[in-house]
Amino acid sequence: MPRHLVHRHAVAEVFLTDYRIESDSTYHVAVQLPVSHRIFDASCEQHDPLGVAEAFRQAVVLLCHTRYDIPLHYKFLMETFSFEMLDAFDVQPAAEPLTFCITVDNLTHRDGAVSGVEVTGVLREGTRHVARCNAVARGASPEGYRRIRQGREDYCPRQRILPSGTAVIGSERVGRSNNRDVLISTDAARQTVFCTPDPRNHSLFDHPVDHIPGMILFEAARQAVRYRTGDPATQIATLSAGFPRFTEWETPCHVSTTSLDASGNVHRVRFTQDQQTTAELELTIADAS
């Protein structure tokens, strides 16, 4: 799959290989998930659910460009995103083919052209259903994006931006082997957690972005839950997210985690800048067994 069709610069970061048109609104998209990746970790012999989410994100972008004529130079904005792991998803030496069976609904139009879509996909390993995903996305023209971003559209940080008095959390506490892969920091005195990714980490950012994107927030949320629960092996079974605002690089971004049930398996993770929510996620922890 050409990398520009999924908004990736590095060939190794493209998780799709092909697609087939079934009808005007249904498609089969072939997927090849990495078995070795710094961020989407398969070291526990299971595919990383966030790798599934990234493959689905790429499928949404691919179909918007190739089937719904959203121009390649448009920006993509995810309004909502969710996924649910349906079955065990082990890394296999001779795996069955992976395919997203995708339906595109609820097209929105602007100036006579498609501007937004709702996409639902079921990831199949052979005939077995292993994950379900949904996203609502829209494209923004360069002119429209400049209006939305109000002068921030060319912002490009050169290093990790840490709020005063904070330090990056130790990688072992969030299930990482390299501190550059840690996306959160904390003020030890107040135990406040901040989202502070390193823009020089090319496994996370294979091209510059003017804000912190949703996939990075997913990993930051996972790390925040791992840190708060004290379990660096915590994995996600379900996730749903909304993005009411952009998450900016240069403004301190507070990450709060709240347990929503007695078992401690369901959590709300909220990202806040200047007392305004930029993203809110609800996630369920996978059964350790």
Side-chain angles (χ1 to χ4, degrees), residues 1 16 25 34 48-49 170 196 206 214 248 251 268 270 288:
M1 186 65 62
L16 310 182
S25 61
D48 190 332
T196 53
D206 80 337
E248 307 294 354
T251 305
R268 177 182 296 118
R270 181 177 287 125

Side-chain angles (χ1 to χ4, degrees), residues 15-35:
F15 296 170
L16 310 182
T17 61
D18 200 357
Y19 78 100
R20 184 173 74 236
I21 302 167
E22 297 297 315
S23 72
D24 288 343
S25 61
T26 58
Y27 309 89
H28 286 174
V29 180
V31 177
Q32 186 172 58
L33 294 177
V35 296

Side-chain angles (χ1 to χ4, degrees), residues 251-289:
T251 305
C253 181
H254 177 231
V255 187
S256 64
T257 59
T258 305
S259 179
L260 299 180
D261 72 336
S263 70
N265 288 334
V266 183
H267 298 264
R268 177 182 296 118
V269 183
R270 181 177 287 125
F271 295 80
T272 307
Q273 291 181 316
D274 293 332
Q275 300 183 326
Q276 293 184 310
T277 299
T278 65
E280 184 167 293
L281 293 70
E282 185 172 313
L283 58 88
T284 303
I285 293 174
D287 188 340
S289 62

Side-chain angles (χ1 to χ4, degrees), residues 17-82:
T17 61
D18 200 357
Y19 78 100
R20 184 173 74 236
I21 302 167
E22 297 297 315
S23 72
D24 288 343
S25 61
T26 58
Y27 309 89
H28 286 174
V29 180
V31 177
Q32 186 172 58
L33 294 177
V35 296
S36 178
H37 195 280
R38 278 178 60 175
I39 305 303
F40 305 122
D41 184 16
S43 62
C44 62
E45 303 305 319
Q46 288 194 326
H47 285 290
D48 190 332
L50 294 189
V52 173
E54 168 59 16
F56 184 68
R57 184 204 67 80
Q58 292 185 17
V60 172
V61 175
L62 166 72
L63 293 176
C64 284
H65 285 320
T66 61
R67 299 298 300 157
Y68 298 98
D69 297 325
I70 294 179
L72 287 170
H73 62 287
Y74 274 37
K75 299 286 188 178
F76 269 88
L77 309 177
M78 290 288 180
E79 297 181 349
T80 64
F81 194 105
S82 65

Side-chain angles (χ1 to χ4, degrees), residues 108-268:
T108 58
H109 296 79
R110 186 181 181 90
D111 299 328
V114 173
S115 60
V117 296
E118 180 175 358
V119 184
T120 300
V122 174
L123 183 64
R124 299 193 315 193
E125 184 182 46
T127 59
R128 191 168 64 96
H129 294 189
V130 294
R132 180 184 295 111
C133 303
N134 178 270
V136 175
R138 62 187 174 95
S141 68
E143 299 78 11
Y145 193 70
R146 280 194 293 271
R147 287 195 300 271
I148 295 170
R149 296 299 286 136
Q150 298 180 344
R152 294 176 181 261
E153 68 275 4
D154 294 322
Y155 186 80
C156 183
R158 299 184 180 275
Q159 60 187 3
R160 194 194 298 262
I161 302 172
L162 293 174
S164 177
T166 67
V168 175
I169 290 171
S171 58
E172 72 283 353
R173 302 193 67 175
V174 295
R176 292 297 169 202
S177 58
N178 188 321
N179 280 347
R180 292 190 68 180
D181 296 336
V182 179
L183 309 188
I184 56 176
S185 59
T186 187
D187 177 337
R190 294 183 294 160
Q191 288 294 297
T192 302
V193 173
F194 295 91
C195 179
T196 53
D198 188 341
R200 299 166 297 183
N201 185 332
H202 298 303
S203 291
L204 291 166
F205 304 100
D206 80 337
H207 61 281
V209 287
D210 62 87
H211 63 281
I212 301 176
M215 285 303 305
I216 304 302
L217 300 180
F218 292 172
E219 172 61 13
R222 175 165 64 177
Q223 292 185 17
V225 171
R226 287 174 171 177
Y227 175 66
R228 289 304 193 193
T229 61
D231 182 359
T234 291
Q235 200 52 276
I236 297 174
T238 71
L239 180 151
S240 61
F243 308 96
R245 302 176 66 86
F246 289 93
T247 302
E248 307 294 354
W249 283 103
E250 71 276 25
T251 305
C253 181
H254 177 231
V255 187
S256 64
T257 59
T258 305
S259 179
L260 299 180
D261 72 336
S263 70
N265 288 334
V266 183
H267 298 264
R268 177 182 296 118

